[in-house]
């Protein structure tokens, strides 16, 4: 089971990175119906600043606390370690690829990683031993990432999608 999860994470990261490099080159060459820049309005930027603070608390700080709380449980340590490793790789790839290719790449990266993270959480739930307080924190983490997926769909994707060109 341990090797299977590590393999799934590695394959996800590899495939997503390849897709995102294709996205970046496709947008640069204007083959894809997306803009290179993200066109957030002032109010959207203000909302996203608060959202990023929430992401730090619910998506990063709570999982670190849950990892530390369950440090003596190998399954929990493995699960939260894989979760946090995937999160670090997402943050690194967003920063690196948005500088090297196009800034708008952070939207599809965020979308794919958020969907994968939700799968990680649902898949890992049965393997974790959670008492009432850690279970509440776990639910907050899941709810945040579900809300993040909705936010990406409703706020971020529309700012980069320009539609298909008619020939």
């Amino acid at each position: 089971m341990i090797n299977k999860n590590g393999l799934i994470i590695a394959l996800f990261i590899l495939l997503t990175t390849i897709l995102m490099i294709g996205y970046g080159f496709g947008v640069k060459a204007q083959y894809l119906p997306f803009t290179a820049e993200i066109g957030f309005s002032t109010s959207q930027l203000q909302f996203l600043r608060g959202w990023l603070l929430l992401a730090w608390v619910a998506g990063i700080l709570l999982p670190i606390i849950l990892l530390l709380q369950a440090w003596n449980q190998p399954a929990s340590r493995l699960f939260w370690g894989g979760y946090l490793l995937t999160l670090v790789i997402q943050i690194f790839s967003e920063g690196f690829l948005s500088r090297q290719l196009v800034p708008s790449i952070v939207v599809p990266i965020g979308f794919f990683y958020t969907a994968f993270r939700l799968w990680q959480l649902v898949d890992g739930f049965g393997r974790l031993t959670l008492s009432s307080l850690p279970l509440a924190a776990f639910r907050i983490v899941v709810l945040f990432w579900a809300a993040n997926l909705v936010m990406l769909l409703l706020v971020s994707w529309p700012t980069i999608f320009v539609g298909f060109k008619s020939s």
Side-chain angles (χ1 to χ4, degrees):
M1 189 64 130
I2 292 170
N3 293 334
K4 180 182 167 191
N5 279 342
L7 180 62
I8 290 170
I9 291 170
L11 286 174
F12 168 78
I13 291 167
L14 177 66
L15 290 174
T16 302
T17 302
I18 290 168
L19 281 172
M20 291 306 99
I21 291 170
Y23 169 92
F25 282 114
V27 169
K28 272 186 158 184
Q30 298 181 343
Y31 291 136
L32 296 175
F34 299 99
T35 62
E37 301 296 323
I38 304 174
F40 288 126
S41 68
T42 305
S43 60
Q44 286 172 322
L45 283 172
Q46 188 173 358
F47 167 78
L48 288 172
R49 283 187 193 100
W51 192 260
L52 286 175
L53 178 61
L54 183 60
W56 276 99
V57 173
I60 299 172
L61 185 59
L62 269 180
I64 289 171
I65 291 168
L66 288 166
L67 169 67
L68 295 174
Q69 176 269 331
W71 190 256
N72 293 330
Q73 299 171 12
S76 290
R77 195 171 54 239
L78 183 67
F79 171 78
W80 290 113
Y83 169 98
L84 291 167
L85 174 66
T86 306
L87 189 61
V88 166
I89 291 170
Q90 175 188 351
I91 293 167
F92 171 78
S93 66
E94 285 176 339
F96 180 78
L97 292 175
S98 68
R99 283 190 304 277
Q100 299 302 314
L101 295 170
V102 293
S104 68
I105 204 167
V106 300
V107 175
I109 289 174
F111 180 81
F112 285 119
Y113 273 87
T114 297
F116 182 75
R117 190 163 299 111
L118 281 168
W119 172 82
Q120 277 183 305
L121 290 163
V122 170
D123 180 63
F125 181 73
R127 289 180 274 134
L128 299 175
T129 305
L130 300 167
S131 57
S132 59
L133 191 55
L135 179 60
F138 183 88
R139 287 179 175 157
I140 290 169
V141 173
V142 171
L143 286 173
F144 169 75
W145 289 117
N148 193 65
L149 201 58
V150 172
M151 185 279 299
L152 285 163
L153 286 169
L154 297 179
V155 177
S156 298
W157 279 105
T159 66
I160 65 168
F161 182 72
V162 293
F164 293 98
K165 299 175 188 174
S166 58
S167 302

